[in-house]
Each structure stands twice: as structure tokens, then as C-alpha cells.
Amino acid sequence: MKTILLVCSAGMSTSLLVTKMEAAAKEQGVEAKIFALPFSDAPRVLEVDCILLGPQVRFQKAAIEKLAASRKAGAIPVDVIDMRDYGTMNGKAVLASALKLLGE
């Protein structure tokens, strides 16, 4: 099972995207735990397989990458969600981006 963290400003707008990604994962037979947190809570979570940032917090990517690199089991891959996919809440495309980031 893959664990995917979405990070945004307050964790609210991304919760809808989480629901759409979960539906896409179920449709594709992908076992994934997907959840969203505001940027302020993200540093407490290091037991994830990848982190996707909402476009509104893309300027925080370096800070999240630094945190992700400190993980003992190896760095957590970090990327920014495509603005168009985020704006249209395209869960299928964002899930595909996460899986690609994970090398799948």
C-alpha cells in the first residue's frame, strides 16, 4: 500500500482532491492511503511514500524537500501538483503523477 500526502494552505481544498484520487485508485485497483494536511502540519508526518504540494504552496517545496530528505529510511519524493489538474480536481491525473513519482 502506498501512502500519499497532499499538502496545501489549509488542507481544505485538497480534501476534495483526496476523494477523487481515492476513487481513481479504487477504479484502477491501486491500494493507497491518501490524505491532506495544511503546510503547518506537514513536518510532523514523515511516514509517507510521497508528498504532493498544492500549487498555492509550491514556494514551500524546498522546505518540504529538506524535511523529506531527513527521513532515516531515505528521502521522500516531493513534487508540485500540476495547476490545471489541481484546478479541475482531476484525481486520476494527480494519482498518476504520484505513482510516477514513486516509480510505478
Side-chain angles (χ1 to χ4, degrees):
M1 175 176 292
K2 301 296 178 194
T3 304
I4 302 167
L5 169 61
L6 305 185
V7 177
C8 70
S9 296
M12 299 288 287
S13 58
T14 313
S15 60
L16 177 59
L17 185 55
V18 166
T19 302
K20 299 217 176 207
M21 289 175 69
E22 288 172 336
K26 184 176 180 179
E27 180 182 297
Q28 296 173 31
V30 174
E31 289 188 41
K33 176 183 176 188
I34 306 166
F35 64 104
L37 290 174
F39 174 77
S40 59
D41 290 344
R44 295 186 290 153
V45 180
L46 288 177
E47 294 307 315
V48 297
D49 295 307
C50 74
I51 300 171
L52 295 176
L53 303 175
Q56 70 274 37
V57 293
R58 68 182 166 273
F59 65 94
Q60 298 286 7
K61 186 178 181 197
I64 292 289
E65 285 176 327
K66 183 177 180 181
L67 177 72
S70 69
R71 183 173 162 204
K72 290 181 182 179
I76 302 167
V78 178
D79 202 2
V80 177
I81 300 170
D82 178 87
M83 192 179 299
R84 183 173 294 138
D85 292 337
Y86 189 87
T88 59
M89 293 289 139
N90 188 338
K92 188 174 184 177
V94 177
L95 177 65
S97 295
L99 295 176
K100 183 178 179 183
L101 191 61
L102 292 167
E104 294 187 16

